[in-house]
Each structure stands twice: as structure tokens, then as C-alpha cells.
Amino acid sequence: MPIWTLHGDGKTIAPGEVVTPSERLSWGRTIGLGGQHVVSMFGATFVFPIIMGLNPQLAVMMSGFCTLFFLLVVKGRIPSYLGTSAAFVGGIAAIRAQGGTSAQVTGAILVSGLVLAGIGVLIHFLGGGVVFKILPPVVTGAVVMLIGFNLAPVVAGTYWPQDQWVALTVMVVLVVASVALRGFLGRVAIFLTLLFGYVLSWVLDVTTGMITSYDPVADAVTEHFRVNWDGVSSASWIGLPSFSDEANGIVGIHAPSFSLTFIVLVLPGVIALIAENAGHVKAVAEITKTDLDPMMGRALIGDGLATTIATSVGGSPTTTYAENIGVMAATKVYSTAAYAAAGVIAMLLGFSPKFGAVISATPGGVLGGITVVLYGIIGLLGAKIWKENGVDFGNPLNLMPIAAGLIIAIGDVELTFSDSFSLSGIALGTIVVIGMYHLCRVIAPKDADDADDPGTGRHHPKPATGDGTVPDRVGQLT
């Protein structure tokens, strides 16, 4: 880690200047910026653990710790906050649908973290080009897309039925707020919408009384209030997150357990994390005008090990957050000292069980409105990767394998090998996309339409990287 040098007088930034990762403003301003980074990542970081059935208080605490760990691994050169990753939500939904426990969920993600770290080691020594040969944009975009769109039944079957009118209202507010709000408020639209939905649900409880709808706790249609703060009133202000007691519906700190079937279900999320981290490193490098390609492997190692550490105690998977890039672009402060401050602040928030109980009591209808947008965004980020890399779907090499894999994943098609092992949904779709693409790549005619740029179908007589790929933009998932 660097010993940050003071930028100028520590108070002002001259026009045209930026605060580099190795610099800082005064500690008061740095801590304030750290708090701004925490708020920016806040909404998604605790919404996704709730969706995955994990403890949001523990997720926030571990996000702070993992951010500090990541900064150590990358030697303080990549300013990033590690919030909760959405890449595993689809796989976790499949695990839950098969009766998997929280321990089996975190065990499966822990293995994925180790796999990501191992890939990071290979990239560190072999160079980033190997990633884009194995996972060209057409493949990466497809995997990101199928992860998002596979989640549509979760919204339709779990969250939306809990309170359809609140869900619809929250959805409309989130869409409008994301477009209408500017600057920092636009970047925290998820958080602001969640607060709105929470208050709306409470007002409806007071004015209209109980609602009769699906209750996921009872797994039946019951009469209940939208907002239940019984757990909030009994929670202490200061303390560790609770320890898991799933027999009584409590999910918190716990040791992971491992199932090969469930591990296979979440492994495709590793591909999305590679795309996220690579895109984040490229974005930060472009903004700061520095060459961070040699740090690509370290970024993957840091994120992989951070995910391993977080899930080893029952926490959520981590990833670098695009929201925080927006904060840096707006403030012109790229100091990793601000992220160190953010990490400490998040850890302190994680030591409040009452804070965690408030988050856990988020009404299901509110989550319905938010997830219908978030899951769609995840899917469309795959299309964004295709667009930015000019993927040509007039080329059958790109069209056919991707079409098959997407339908298998979105339709949750199942391939049964035995009574104890089968592949379906995201896992099977990912295998089809990667396997069939590379098989078709081998047998396809070597004509000018696809010979030069794998995964896009574009012709590049003199590829900039020398390996026929265009690795400058790979997309971002949060």
C-alpha cells in the first residue's frame, strides 16, 4: 500500500487536475469521500444479499473488510470498492429451488472465488490476452445475459406476488429516478427508491391495514403487515451479526458446506466476474491515464480471494462496483485512501445488528419492484458487451451457439445424467455457449468474415493486440 502524499493544499483541486490513486486530500475530506462511496454502493450491496437469502449486515461488514484486502493485493493502484456481486444470483436461485441451504450456497460461491483467484494467477503470468481468446465478447455477453434473464421466474414467482401494486409503483419510481436524477443522486437511485418503497409500505399498513398475499416465510398466502419490525425492536445497537439458526429462520455467520451439484450451478458466475473486473480495470486505466494491464491478474486474484474470505464466514460474493467509478469521475478524486476510509466505515456499520434488522425487514413488494429492473439490467449488460465490441450476429459462428445456450438457460432446460446429478439453466446454458462456440470455431471455414476477430465477426487486418482480439472494452456488471 502507498503512503499517500497530500495533493496540493489538501483542500482544492485545480482545473484540469485530478487526485491520483497515490495521493489524498486532507483526512477530513478523504473520510467524507469514503462515506460518499459507501452510500453509492449501499443499495445494491445490501439488496442482493436479501435476494440471495444471506445476511445483509454481514454482507456490508465483509464488503468493507474485502475492500481493504483488495487494495492490499493490488498495491493500492486500483481504486475500487468491493460490494455484493449479482453474478451468482441466478445460480443461488437454482440452489434454493432445489432445497439448498445457506451453507451450501456460500460453499459453492467459495469454490468459485478460489477458481477466480486461480484464473487471476494464470493471467498474471500469461497476460490478459488469454482471457479474450477463451472468452471472447460474444461468449462473455451471452453468459452475462443468460444469468440475468434466467432470474425472471424469481421475480414473477417470489417477489411480485407479495404486493403487486407496491412492486409496480416501486418499479416505476426506480425507472423514472434513474433517468431524471442527475449526478450523485442518479447513482444512488436504487437506495433512494428502496427508502421510498419502505415508507410507502409503512404508510399503506397504517392506512389500509394488513394485506392478504404470498408470504415467503410461511410459504403460503397469509394475512400480514407489509413491514414487520419485530426483529428490529429486539436487535441490539452494537454487536456482531447473528449466527445462523435456519431452523428458526435466522441466517447469519456460518461455516460453508459443499455440494458438487451446487458448485456447478454457480461456476458460470466466474465468467461474469472476469468481465466485470476486466472492464473495471480498463475503465479506471482510461480515466486515470495509466497502464493498469499488468494489474489485471492481481485484480482477479484480489476479488477471488475476497469472495473466498467473505463466504467462508457466511457472507456474500464480492465484485468491483461501477457506481463508485461514477463518484470518482464526478469528484476527480481517484485516491485509494478514500476507498480505505470507505472500507472502515462499512465495517463499522456492519457492527450494528439493529441496522441489519432494518435492512432484513425490507418488504417483499419493494424487492419485487427493484429486482424486476435489476435482473433486466443484468441481462441487458450482456447486449451492451456485444454492442461495444461490434459482435456480428449475421455470422452463424456467433449466432447459432449463442441462440441455443440462451434458450437453454432462460427456459431452465434440464439434462439429467443420474438420479443425483443433472445440469440445467445457467450451468447447462453456459457450457453450451462456450463449448459449442469453440467447436464451431474449429470447424468453421476460415474466411475473412470471422478469421481475424474471434467472437465479433469483424475483420481486422492488423489487430492491435496481435492475437486477433479487441480487449479494450468488455463490459461491466454490478
Side-chain angles (χ1 to χ4, degrees):
M1 290 289 291
I3 298 176
W4 299 281
T5 58
L6 194 66
H7 178 86
D9 61 1
K11 300 178 181 178
T12 58
I13 305 172
E17 290 187 355
V18 299
V19 180
T20 65
S22 61
E23 296 178 321
R24 64 170 177 85
L25 296 178
S26 65
W27 280 115
R29 288 172 172 77
T30 296
I31 293 171
L33 286 166
Q36 189 172 350
H37 279 300
V38 170
V39 173
S40 181
M41 66 83 196
F42 201 69
T45 288
F46 74 71
V47 166
F48 284 124
I50 297 173
I51 293 169
M52 292 186 283
L54 299 175
N55 188 297
Q57 179 192 352
L58 180 59
V60 171
M61 175 190 290
M62 293 308 298
S63 77
F65 177 84
C66 289
T67 296
L68 297 176
F69 176 81
F70 179 85
L71 293 176
L72 287 171
V73 173
V74 299
K75 299 182 177 180
R77 292 183 58 188
I78 301 177
S80 297
Y81 191 94
L82 262 61
T84 301
S85 172
F88 297 101
V89 173
I92 291 171
I95 292 174
R96 297 292 191 185
Q98 297 182 32
T101 65
S102 294
Q104 289 170 323
V105 164
T106 51
I109 303 172
L110 185 151
V111 173
S112 295
L114 292 175
V115 170
L116 179 63
I119 293 171
V121 172
L122 291 176
I123 292 173
H124 182 71
F125 290 104
L126 299 178
V130 67
V131 175
F132 304 99
K133 285 185 176 180
I134 299 174
L135 300 173
V138 65
V139 170
T140 305
V143 173
V144 173
M145 179 174 284
L146 63 83
I147 286 173
F149 291 162
N150 175 266
L151 292 167
V154 177
V155 176
T158 301
Y159 296 113
W160 196 272
Q162 293 182 47
D163 196 341
Q164 62 176 1
W165 295 112
V166 167
L168 179 63
T169 304
V170 168
M171 180 198 74
V172 172
V173 170
L174 177 56
V175 172
V176 172
S178 299
V179 175
L181 297 179
R182 294 290 185 267
F184 180 71
L185 290 179
R187 285 187 289 276
V188 297
I190 295 174
F191 178 58
L192 295 178
T193 304
L194 187 140
L195 292 179
F196 165 81
Y198 219 125
V199 173
L200 174 63
S201 297
W202 176 76
V203 170
L204 289 174
D205 280 345
V206 172
T207 57
T208 65
M210 292 186 177
I211 185 174
T212 301
S213 67
Y214 174 71
D215 182 352
V217 176
D219 194 23
V221 175
T222 65
E223 187 178 33
H224 58 274
F225 285 111
R226 298 168 179 85
V227 180
N228 184 349
W229 269 29
D230 291 344
V232 176
S233 58
S234 61
S236 58
W237 283 99
I238 300 175
L240 287 170
S242 58
F243 285 83
S244 284
D245 182 5
E246 293 205 27
N248 293 312
I250 299 174
V251 179
I253 298 172
H254 62 265
S257 64
F258 305 95
S259 163
L260 177 60
T261 300
F262 294 155
I263 290 170
V264 172
L265 287 176
V266 301
L267 276 177
V270 173
I271 297 173
L273 288 183
I274 293 172
E276 286 176 2
N277 280 276
H280 188 99
V281 171
K282 289 290 185 182
V284 172
E286 183 176 343
I287 292 171
T288 59
K289 308 301 180 185
T290 55
D291 179 17
L292 293 177
D293 280 359
M295 304 300 295
M296 186 80 71
R298 281 184 172 270
L300 294 175
I301 294 169
D303 190 12
L305 292 180
T307 292
T308 300
I309 293 170
T311 52
S312 68
V313 295
S316 305
T318 64
T319 190
T320 53
Y321 261 37
E323 289 91 334
N324 298 95
I325 295 180
V327 173
M328 291 189 291
T331 61
K332 307 301 180 185
V333 178
Y334 307 105
S335 171
T336 50
Y339 283 96
V344 173
I345 292 170
M347 289 180 67
L348 292 175
L349 285 174
F351 278 101
S352 175
K354 192 170 288 293
F355 160 78
V358 170
I359 296 172
S360 298
T362 303
V366 179
L367 292 177
I370 290 175
T371 53
V372 76
V373 178
L374 289 183
Y375 291 169
I377 289 174
I378 295 171
L380 289 176
L381 283 173
K384 178 174 180 285
I385 294 174
W386 290 339
K387 180 179 180 295
E388 290 182 342
N389 290 275
V391 175
D392 177 17
F393 282 108
N395 185 343
L397 171 62
N398 295 330
L399 178 65
M400 303 303 284
I402 304 309
L406 284 177
I407 292 300
I408 286 173
I410 296 171
D412 208 22
V413 175
E414 184 174 8
L415 184 64
T416 302
F417 293 89
S418 68
D419 293 339
S420 60
F421 183 75
S422 63
L423 290 172
S424 63
I426 293 174
L428 182 58
T430 300
I431 292 171
V432 168
V433 166
I434 297 175
M436 291 304 298
Y437 173 81
H438 285 289
L439 174 62
C440 291
R441 182 82 194 152
V442 171
I443 64 177
K446 304 300 180 181
D447 55 34
D449 288 336
D450 65 352
D452 289 332
D453 197 350
T456 66
R458 294 182 298 175
H459 183 68
H460 294 281
K462 294 181 179 180
T465 60
D467 61 8
T469 63
V470 184
D472 55 326
R473 293 175 295 181
V474 294
Q476 180 81 13
L477 170 65
T478 62

